[in-house]
Amino acid sequence: MDHQNQSSPSGIVIIGSGLAGFTVIRELRKIDKVIPITLVTREPGYFYSKPMLSTALASSKSAEQLVSTNAEGMATQLDITILGDVDVTAIDTTSQTVTTSTGSLSYGKLVLGLGADQIRLPLEGNAANEVITVNDLEDYAQFRKTIEGKKRIAILGAGLIGCEFANDLVLGSYEVDVIDLAPQALGRLLPEAAAQALQAKLSAAGVRWHFATTVQSIDRSGDSLSVTLANGSVIHSDAFLSAVGLKPRLDLAQSAGIATGAGITVNRQLETSAKNVYAIGDCAEVEGLVLPYVMPIMQAARALAPNLLGQATTLSYPAMPVMVKTPALPTIVSPPAKDALGDWKINSVEGGLEARFESSDGKLLGFALMGTATAQRGALTKELPPIL
């Protein structure tokens, strides 16, 4: 079936049905009820909350239960055409057409909401192919099936996703081992004292930590996996989850000659180097920043929608704290900018911890709030400089 006639030369085509794609469409519809919008996605086109994937297990939510609206519902609600289970194979920025697995589409404006892939580290051993990553609903369904009736899970990566999964799995009565090359959990986000507070709470909940080492090989021995670490210890586990971070999906843009850095390079109007092509979300790099979190996506969508309709709007990022979904010790963090000069000041409060990153003249440039201290979020966020 050829979708040649399903898009209009003045219409907007959006590739990707994650939070970025759907939020842009919602913002567009607030301003313009009639412009033709076509959403192309390799997923079915349903809407679900991706951040729920790392916290759904303890609440016994199946993959189906995480879908809040199916594709038909989304198409009707937003008055758009959804081409689900469709792959985009090429973009021609000169003729303004997109080649898909079911034909070609022309666009007036094109939005790349391609997302990111879980980074897969090359691992040795006869069970290296059994490593699981959870990056979408189908992955999650597969993961649930794999660990059903099992007891022990090993997680590679003690970052945001690794820690959230670890907490979720121990709440679901699994034994969890977490392995990370860094000396602490959430190495990119937390100062040492805050990381230790989180590690202690998760240890008490049943998480075993293996820091400053990595996985040498994963081998199947009968019903279980033997995970050999670089420091010589061996962990026995029933399943192995890799959560070492995300890499933006760049192939489609690169093969179309669109400029990329760490992500698809865009300016503060979210424009790529190609005319009428924009990028947003986990695949986009705005002035050197790739921020794969919910808040930046919402901000970017609010700026992108008017731009797509010819109303010039510049993206700005206020301070946007990130919530770490670890019920063992709720944590909210707004890390200082990479080049920020200053020091962490740690203050223990009853039932929590407040860490402030301050410049030499006492200005607040970042924070980490844990437990009861998370109540300070609103007040401290107001003190922070904007990110962009």
Side-chain angles (χ1 to χ4, degrees):
M1 168 182 169
D2 192 337
H3 292 297
Q4 196 93 43
N5 309 326
Q6 290 217 12
S7 66
S8 82
S10 63
I12 296 170
V13 172
I14 294 177
I15 305 173
S17 60
L19 184 69
F22 274 126
T23 307
V24 172
I25 295 169
R26 288 197 175 102
E27 293 296 327
L28 281 165
R29 282 291 178 245
K30 286 179 191 171
I31 312 170
D32 187 323
K33 302 279 185 268
V34 296
I35 191 164
I37 300 175
T38 304
L39 176 68
V40 190
T41 171
R42 59 165 78 149
E43 291 190 341
Y46 44 43
F47 184 74
Y48 68 96
S49 165
K50 193 171 168 183
M52 293 282 294
L53 294 178
S54 54
T55 60
L57 199 108
S59 49
S60 305
K61 284 210 162 43
S62 69
E64 299 77 47
Q65 286 170 310
L66 290 179
V67 174
S68 49
T69 313
N70 65 16
E72 294 73 28
M74 293 308 288
T76 309
Q77 192 185 100
L78 297 166
D79 192 17
I80 58 175
T81 302
I82 295 183
L83 307 178
D85 298 311
V86 170
D87 273 308
V88 175
T89 51
I91 299 164
D92 185 330
T93 58
T94 311
S95 64
Q96 299 205 166
T97 53
V98 170
T99 308
T100 78
S101 48
T102 55
S104 75
L105 294 163
S106 55
Y107 62 84
K109 300 276 169 75
L110 178 65
V111 177
L112 307 177
L114 307 174
D117 287 311
Q118 286 275 352
I119 294 167
R120 307 277 309 228
L121 298 179
L123 297 170
E124 302 292 309
N126 66 20
N129 61 332
E130 293 186 45
V131 172
I132 303 164
T133 55
V134 177
N135 200 32
D136 60 30
L137 210 52
E138 282 164 32
D139 290 347
Y140 174 74
Q142 191 56 50
F143 177 57
R144 286 293 302 263
K145 212 159 107 187
T146 306
I147 65 171
E148 203 172 322
K150 303 284 195 333
K151 287 211 345 236
R152 301 162 305 180
I153 318 282
I155 299 176
L156 180 59
L160 196 67
I161 305 297
C163 286
E164 290 183 354
F165 265 114
N167 201 154
D168 201 41
L169 287 161
V170 288
L171 284 173
S173 303
Y174 287 89
E175 287 176 38
V176 179
D177 286 276
V178 178
I179 306 134
D180 200 302
L181 206 44
Q184 63 168 65
L186 295 177
R188 294 200 189 118
L189 294 174
L190 293 182
E192 190 184 347
Q196 284 175 348
L198 180 63
Q199 286 156 217
K201 287 287 191 201
L202 283 170
S203 295
V207 175
R208 292 186 290 257
W209 303 100
H210 308 266
F211 288 119
T213 186
T214 189
V215 174
Q216 212 137 44
S217 67
I218 304 180
D219 294 282
R220 163 87 29 215
S221 50
D223 279 349
S224 80
L225 298 170
S226 291
V227 181
T228 308
L229 305 185
N231 65 10
S233 45
V234 177
I235 296 167
H236 297 288
S237 140
D238 299 314
F240 186 96
L241 179 69
S242 174
V244 293
L246 295 169
K247 58 170 192 298
R249 294 183 178 135
L250 305 178
D251 297 0
L252 197 58
Q254 285 169 342
S255 54
I258 294 168
T260 60
I264 299 169
T265 313
V266 295
N267 61 16
R268 288 175 66 169
Q269 283 66 45
L270 284 311
E271 296 165 322
T272 67
S273 62
K275 190 174 189 274
N276 295 327
V277 182
Y278 301 74
I280 183 174
D282 295 6
C283 70
E285 178 185 344
V286 189
E287 295 203 355
L289 297 171
V290 179
L291 299 175
Y293 306 114
V294 172
M295 295 280 289
I297 288 174
M298 308 303 273
Q299 287 289 125
R302 285 182 208 124
L304 177 52
N307 276 323
L308 291 169
L309 299 168
Q311 306 163 11
T313 308
T314 302
L315 171 63
S316 59
Y317 281 146
M320 296 175 287
V322 176
M323 215 167 101
V324 186
K325 296 184 287 300
T326 45
L329 186 62
T331 297
I332 295 171
V333 54
S334 193
K338 275 195 181 70
D339 53 3
L341 297 175
D343 297 295
W344 283 102
K345 307 226 161 90
I346 312 293
N347 179 23
S348 287
V349 296
E350 196 174 330
L353 180 144
E354 178 189 336
R356 303 166 61 102
F357 187 89
E358 294 178 359
S359 63
S360 54
D361 58 355
K363 286 199 177 67
L364 186 69
L365 300 178
F367 64 71
L369 303 171
M370 313 182 92
T372 53
T374 54
Q376 301 288 332
R377 172 196 185 152
L380 293 191
T381 303
K382 289 194 183 92
E383 287 183 46
L384 292 174
I387 295 172
L388 187 63

